[in-house]
Amino acid sequence: MPLFHKSANDSEMTVTANDDVEDCSPKAMVAQRYMGTAADQREMSALGRVQVLRRNFRFISIVGFGCTLICTWEVILTLLSAGLTDGGTAGLIWGFVGVTLGFTLVYASVAEMASMAPTAGGQYHWVSEFAPRSGQKFLSYITGWLSAMGWQCAITSIAYLAGTVIQGLIVLNNPDYDFQRWHGTMLVIAISSFSILFNTFLAKNLPFVEGLILIIHVVGLFAIIIPLWVLAPRNNAHAVFTDFNNGGGWNNAGTATLVGLSTTITSMLGYDCAVHMSEEIKDASETLPKAMMTSVAVNGVLGFVMLVTLCFTLGEVGPILETPTGFPFIQIFYNTTGSLPATNAMTAVLVVTLTASTITEVATASRQLWSFARDEGIPFSSFFAYVTPGWNIPLNSVMVSLVVTVLLSMINIGSEVALNAVISLTITSLLSAYIVSIACVLLKRLRGQPLPHHRWTLGRFGMVVNIGALCFLLPIYIFAFFPLYSNVTRETMNWGVVMYIGVIISASIYYWARGRHHFIPPVALVKREEKI
C-alpha cells in the first residue's frame, strides 16, 4: 500500500513512493485495452488513483447492471403486501409516481457528482471532497460506513426475497410443506454462493451477463402481465385509483400511505449501484450518468406498468393478503391462471431475475467495501483492499461479502424480526448517504464555490434539483423507521432504527479510537487542475 505522511492538519496529506507500493506495481496494472479512454486516465490521475480494475463495462451493460440490480417490477411484486396494507391500490400507484419523480431528482444529483468524480467510493468520496473542511473527514468516514453496511445488507435482502419466494411456491404446490425459517436461510446461502461464481471465475464476462439478464428482465415483465390482462377479471378503475387502505390502524389514510411507501421506495432505491463500478466503466464520467438515468427511466416505466396491472387484476385485497404462500402475487398468479404449472413458470421468472440481482449486488457491495478499505476506513484494510493480480478483481472483498451474507442470513433461524431489522438497514443507510452527499454539493453551490469539471451537468438547474432531492429524501428517511402497524408489538416493531443507531455509534467509536489516525480522506489524494 502507498505510504501517507500526515501533516498537523488531518485533512492534508502527501503521498510518497515506496518500493512495495502494490497498486502501482506492473503486475497489478491492467492490460492497456482495459485502461479506458484518455478521459478515464486523466480522471483517475486527478483523483489520485491507479487503475487496477478492468474497464470492460459500456453503456448497455451498465444500464443492464442498474436495471437488474434494482429489479423494480420484481421488488414491487415481492413487497406488495406492505403497500396493500398501508395505502391500498391508490396509495401504491400514486405513491410510486411520487417516489419515482422524487428519486429522479436524487439520481440526477448523484449522476452529476459521479461525472465530477467517477470513483468506486461514490458518496463517501464526494462528501470528503465537497463537505466543509471542518467536518469533511468525519462525515466522509461515517458515510463510508453507512454505504458499506447498506450494500452488504442489500445482498442478504435480495437473496432472502428470492429464497422465500421459492418457499412460497413450495407451499402452493405442497400444502403440507412445513415452512421453516432455516430452509429460507439455506436458500439464501445457496443463491449468494451461486452469485459468487459470476463475480470470480466469470468476472470478465459479467458485462455480457448483465446485458443478457436485461433482456430477461424486460421480456419477463411481458411474460407475466400478458396472462394477467388476458385472463384476470378487472377491478373498477375508479376504485383502483381512489381507494386508499389503512390496514395498519394509523390515524388517517395519508399517514398509512406514507408508511406504505416502503414498497415503492425499495423498488426504486439503489441506482447509485453503478457508481461503485465507476472504475470498471469505459469513459465513466460521461457513460455512467447517462446509463444511470436511463436505468431509472426504463425501470420506472416497467414498474408502473406492472403496478397498474396488479392493481387492476388482483381481485379482493383481503383474501390476497391472507395467502398461505406469504406472497400475494403468487396467489394472484394462481387465481388468474388456475394452473400450478403456469403459476410456477410465471414465478420462476422472478426467481431468475432476483438471483441475477444478487450477482450484481455482490459486485456493488464488494467494490464499495474494497474502495473504503483502500482508504483504510475499516479494520484489516490491507486484506480487503487487495486486488488479485491477473484477475483484476477485489477477490478478498467478494468472498467477505459472501461470508457476511451467510452470517446475516443465519439471524433468520433465531428471529425473522431481527433479520428484517438488518434488511431495513439497507434503506436507511443508503438514504443517509444520499442526503449527506447531496447536501454537501448543495452547500458548495449556495456558497458560490466552484465545482470540479464534469461532462454531464445539471447546468443552471443544479441547485433546484439538489434542493428538490433533499425535500423528497428527508421525509421518506423519517418514515423509513416507522413500523407497518400503529399498534406496535415486539414482532411488528421496526427494529431497524436500533441497527442504524448501532452502526453510527460503533463507527464513531472506532473513528475516534483508531480510524481518524489511519483513514485517508479521498480529498487528500485529489489533484484538480481545472474547476468550473
Side-chain angles (χ1 to χ4, degrees):
M1 295 295 292
L3 294 182
F4 293 86
H5 296 303
K6 302 184 182 181
S7 66
N9 186 336
D10 279 341
S11 65
E12 296 178 359
M13 304 180 189
T14 58
V15 185
T16 61
N18 181 285
D19 292 338
D20 296 325
V21 173
E22 180 179 77
D23 287 348
C24 299
S25 63
K27 69 177 181 179
M29 296 286 286
V30 299
Q32 185 61 39
R33 66 179 181 276
Y34 293 124
M35 290 291 288
T37 64
D40 289 324
Q41 295 174 39
R42 285 195 305 270
E43 285 153 2
M44 289 294 284
S45 177
L47 296 173
R49 302 298 186 186
V50 175
Q51 187 70 48
V52 294
L53 306 179
R54 296 188 186 93
R55 289 189 182 270
N56 54 358
F57 279 89
R58 297 175 185 269
F59 177 77
I60 291 297
S61 55
I62 206 65
V63 168
F65 190 95
C67 286
T68 58
L69 185 148
I70 306 308
C71 284
T72 295
W73 66 261
E74 294 93 335
V75 169
I76 287 173
L77 283 173
T78 56
L79 300 181
L80 188 62
S81 59
L84 288 176
T85 300
D86 283 329
T89 56
L92 277 168
I93 291 175
W94 299 117
F96 183 79
V97 171
V99 165
T100 301
L101 293 175
F103 268 125
T104 299
L105 300 178
V106 172
Y107 296 126
S109 300
V110 170
E112 186 182 46
M113 288 187 284
S115 187
M116 297 177 193
T119 169
Q123 286 91 332
Y124 86 87
H125 174 103
W126 303 331
V127 171
S128 177
E129 190 168 353
F130 302 146
R133 181 178 293 273
S134 59
Q136 63 184 190
K137 187 173 182 179
F138 178 71
L139 282 175
S140 173
Y141 188 80
I142 296 299
T143 303
W145 267 93
L146 288 171
S147 294
M149 289 299 297
W151 281 112
Q152 291 296 323
C153 292
I155 305 174
T156 307
S157 302
I158 203 71
Y160 179 71
L161 282 178
T164 48
V165 166
I166 294 173
Q167 284 188 285
L169 267 186
I170 297 174
V171 170
L172 181 68
N173 287 270
N174 182 13
D176 295 329
Y177 167 64
D178 185 14
F179 197 107
Q180 295 291 325
R181 290 197 299 268
W182 71 267
H183 295 171
T185 294
M186 296 305 296
L187 287 168
V188 170
I189 294 173
I191 291 168
S192 54
S193 298
F194 174 73
S195 70
I196 296 298
L197 173 68
F198 290 88
N199 283 278
T200 51
F201 300 106
L202 301 177
K204 286 185 179 180
N205 300 314
L206 191 56
F208 171 76
V209 172
E210 296 298 341
L212 181 62
I213 296 171
L214 176 61
I215 296 174
I216 299 174
H217 174 68
V218 175
V219 173
L221 172 85
F222 292 97
I224 289 174
I225 66 173
I226 289 175
L228 292 178
W229 279 116
V230 172
L231 299 174
R234 305 286 192 277
N235 287 338
N236 178 271
H238 181 269
V240 167
F241 288 104
T242 61
D243 281 0
F244 292 85
N245 191 40
N246 186 6
W250 298 97
N251 56 355
N252 57 66
T255 302
T257 300
L258 289 172
V259 173
L261 286 180
S262 59
T263 295
T264 50
I265 289 171
T266 305
S267 73
M268 291 298 292
L269 182 71
Y271 284 99
D272 60 301
C273 59
V275 169
H276 305 297
M277 305 299 290
S278 294
E279 296 172 40
E280 297 170 68
I281 301 172
K282 190 170 184 178
D283 204 21
S285 61
E286 186 167 18
T287 300
L288 172 58
K290 292 179 179 178
M292 187 187 306
M293 298 310 296
T294 301
S295 298
V296 173
V298 169
N299 267 10
V301 172
L302 296 182
F304 183 76
V305 171
M306 175 58 76
L307 190 55
V308 171
T309 299
L310 285 173
C311 291
F312 269 95
T313 60
L314 56 80
E316 292 293 328
V317 173
I320 292 298
L321 290 175
E322 295 172 359
T323 174
T325 66
F327 289 96
F329 79 88
I330 296 179
Q331 195 65 49
I332 294 171
F333 293 172
Y334 183 68
N335 291 348
T336 298
T337 63
S339 167
L340 287 176
T343 302
N344 293 340
M346 293 167 71
T347 307
V349 174
L350 269 84
V351 175
V352 170
T353 53
L354 290 173
T355 300
S357 177
T358 307
I359 295 172
T360 46
E361 293 275 10
V362 170
T364 297
S366 60
R367 270 53 169 191
Q368 171 68 52
L369 181 63
W370 164 74
S371 180
F372 197 40
R374 174 173 62 175
D375 291 325
E376 300 195 38
I378 56 178
F380 311 108
S381 290
S382 60
F383 174 80
F384 292 108
Y386 181 73
V387 175
T388 308
W391 289 39
N392 297 105
I393 59 172
L395 182 60
N396 291 350
S397 289
V398 170
M399 299 310 297
V400 167
S401 296
L402 172 62
V403 172
V404 170
T405 302
V406 170
L407 293 176
L408 290 177
S409 67
M410 289 183 177
I411 296 175
N412 184 51
I413 298 175
S415 171
E416 186 178 10
V417 175
L419 178 64
N420 288 333
V422 172
I423 292 173
S424 70
L425 184 61
T426 301
I427 299 176
T428 52
S429 294
L430 295 183
L431 289 178
S432 299
Y434 298 156
I435 290 170
V436 176
S437 57
I438 294 173
C440 287
V441 78
L442 174 61
L443 183 59
K444 285 186 75 72
R445 281 194 158 107
L446 290 172
R447 291 180 171 179
Q449 298 173 345
L451 295 171
H453 171 73
H454 43 296
R455 300 161 67 191
W456 194 92
T457 177
L458 296 173
R460 60 182 179 177
F461 300 105
M463 186 178 297
V464 174
V465 171
N466 293 160
I467 293 173
L470 289 176
C471 289
F472 165 73
L473 286 170
L474 290 173
I476 68 168
Y477 166 77
I478 294 171
F479 277 99
F481 293 107
F482 275 52
L484 193 60
Y485 300 94
S486 61
N487 184 19
V488 179
T489 65
R490 290 177 59 185
E491 288 72 28
T492 61
M493 171 66 180
N494 183 352
W495 294 100
V497 63
V498 178
M499 300 291 296
Y500 179 80
I501 294 175
V503 169
I504 292 179
I505 292 176
S506 300
S508 299
I509 292 173
Y510 184 80
Y511 174 80
W512 291 107
R514 180 178 172 83
R516 63 194 176 102
H517 303 296
H518 296 272
F519 176 55
I520 304 156
V523 69
L525 308 178
V526 172
K527 303 177 293 237
R528 299 287 187 190
E529 295 181 358
E530 179 185 1
K531 294 188 178 183
I532 59 172

